[in-house]
Amino acid sequence: MTQISDPERSRGGLLSALFLDHPASVEESYLEHMRFAAGFAFWLALAAGAAAVHAVIPALCETTASRIVRRLYARIENRGGQPH
């Protein structure tokens, strides 16, 4: 049986804490969580762009940002696992 040295054990614990613990807490793998979070980031960026356009030209994108935010909120509320 091979012993794992303390530095190796702490490195594994750090990697787990950084990449695996939170996805596991919401019942997802790392890749599933990455896909969800990246998609969420895309839609948030789109909403931010629409809000910026609306700030400059109020007649454009009047409800786009709020519609996206409401849809994203519903996605989080309807997911399994713990809230993000």
Side-chain angles (χ1 to χ4, degrees):
M1 187 162 156
T2 304
Q3 292 271 352
I4 299 175
S5 68
D6 285 339
E8 289 178 27
R9 183 178 300 130
S10 64
R11 193 174 342 149
L14 176 61
L15 289 176
S16 180
L18 288 173
F19 296 103
L20 302 175
D21 291 354
H22 174 66
S25 76
V26 292
E27 301 172 2
E28 293 176 337
S29 71
Y30 172 78
L31 291 176
E32 289 170 328
H33 193 70
M34 182 175 67
R35 181 177 180 265
F36 180 85
F40 208 85
F42 169 80
W43 287 107
L44 284 173
L46 197 64
V53 167
H54 179 69
V56 176
I57 307 170
L60 298 178
C61 304
E62 293 181 48
T63 61
T64 305
S66 58
R67 270 195 339 259
I68 291 171
V69 169
R70 277 194 299 272
R71 186 179 53 175
L72 291 174
Y73 178 76
R75 282 181 65 190
I76 287 180
E77 287 298 303
N78 294 324
R79 290 182 84 200
Q82 298 174 4
H84 281 68

